[in-house]
Amino acid sequence: MLDRYTIKMVRKPLELMTTKINQMNIKADSITLMGFALGVFAFIAIAFQWYGLGLLFILGNRIFDGLDGAVARLQGISDAGGFLDITLDFIFYSLIPFAFVLALPQENAVAGAFLIFSFIGTGSSFLAFATLASKRKIENPVYRSKSLYYIGGLAEGTETIAFLVLLCLLPHYFSELAIGFSLLCWITTFSRIWAGYHTLKNAQQTPENTVPKNNESL
C-alpha cells in the first residue's frame, strides 16, 4: 500500500550511492547476495534473542535490497538477477519469523507458523500473477522499474519492513503482532486473488472465441 510512496522517497539517495558503487565495478547480483547474508545474520541474532543486533542486520538487508535494484537499473536489469533477488527476498521474509520461533518456541510457535502460512499466501499470489502477467505482456503503470509485475495490497514491502522492525523492538509481543499482521496478509492475498483472476480473465483471448459460428460444425 505504501511502496509507491516510499520508492519515490528513497530513489534519489539510492541513485547517489549507486553511482559510486558502479564506479567500483560491484555487480548488482553481488549486492543481492551480501544483503541476503545480512538477513542470515539477522536470523542468527534473533534466534539467540539479540533483538537489537537482529534489527541492525534487518535494516542492512533492506538497504542492500534497495541498492541491488538501483544498481541493476544502472548496469542493466537481467532476468537472472530479478529471479535471484525475489527468491532470496521471500526466503528472508520467512527466516525472521522462524528466528522468533526458535528464540521462544513455546510462546511463539503457533503465531509464527500462522505468520509464515500467511506469507505463503501473499508470496504465491504475487509470484503466480507476475508469471502469467509476463506471459500476457500485461504492464504495470505504477511499478515500471520492477523485474516482475508488482501487484500491490495492504501488506507490501514497506509495511512488512515496519512490522519486522516492530517485532525487534517489542519481541515479547510477537504473538499479538504476528497474528495481527497475518490477518492483513490474508486480506492482501484474497484481494490479489480477486484482482489477479479478473485481470487475467479479461486479458485472455482464446482461439475458441475467434472461431466464426458457421464453422462450429467442422
Side-chain angles (χ1 to χ4, degrees):
M1 186 172 64
L2 298 176
D3 282 8
R4 66 184 65 191
Y5 306 110
T6 55
I7 288 173
K8 293 178 181 179
M9 292 172 57
V10 302
R11 182 173 297 162
K12 288 296 181 182
L14 287 177
E15 287 177 353
L16 294 175
M17 297 174 68
T18 53
T19 301
K20 294 184 178 180
I21 292 173
N22 189 52
Q23 291 173 351
M24 298 168 64
N25 199 31
I26 300 175
K27 301 302 181 184
D29 292 352
S30 299
I31 298 173
T32 300
L33 292 172
M34 288 187 285
F36 182 69
L38 292 176
V40 173
F41 290 146
F43 164 77
I44 295 171
I46 292 170
F48 282 98
Q49 301 184 34
W50 302 331
Y51 300 116
L53 183 60
L55 174 57
L56 292 178
F57 283 130
I58 288 174
L59 295 177
N61 170 274
R62 293 296 84 198
I63 291 172
F64 273 68
D65 183 61
L67 283 173
D68 65 1
V71 171
R73 286 189 290 274
L74 191 62
Q75 297 176 347
I77 295 176
S78 70
D79 291 340
F83 166 77
L84 183 67
D85 178 48
I86 195 68
T87 301
L88 295 184
D89 268 354
F90 277 100
I91 294 174
F92 163 76
Y93 284 133
S94 295
L95 267 180
I96 302 306
F98 184 45
F100 278 94
V101 170
L102 292 180
L104 295 169
Q106 290 186 341
E107 293 87 343
N108 297 342
V110 174
F114 184 49
L115 179 59
I116 295 173
F117 173 47
S118 73
F119 283 172
I120 294 296
T122 54
S124 60
S125 59
F126 175 93
L127 293 174
F129 180 80
T131 301
L132 294 172
S134 176
K135 177 183 176 181
R136 292 287 172 185
K137 302 186 184 303
I138 302 173
E139 294 186 356
N140 189 333
V142 179
Y143 303 106
R144 293 185 180 275
S145 61
K146 297 290 185 180
S147 298
L148 300 173
Y149 190 109
Y150 195 93
I151 186 170
L154 280 177
E156 296 180 344
T158 301
E159 291 82 6
T160 305
I161 295 169
F163 166 66
L164 296 181
V165 169
L166 200 58
L167 288 181
C168 291
L169 294 175
L170 301 170
H172 297 294
Y173 291 93
F174 173 84
S175 293
E176 293 84 351
L177 293 170
I179 291 172
F181 192 74
S182 296
L183 295 176
L184 292 180
C185 287
W186 281 113
I187 293 172
T188 297
T189 298
F190 289 128
S191 68
R192 283 176 176 173
I193 291 173
W194 186 91
Y197 174 81
H198 288 285
T199 299
L200 292 169
K201 188 175 182 180
N202 292 335
Q204 185 175 15
Q205 295 179 353
T206 58
E208 288 79 4
N209 292 334
T210 61
V211 176
K213 289 186 177 180
N214 57 4
N215 289 336
E216 289 181 351
S217 61
L218 297 177

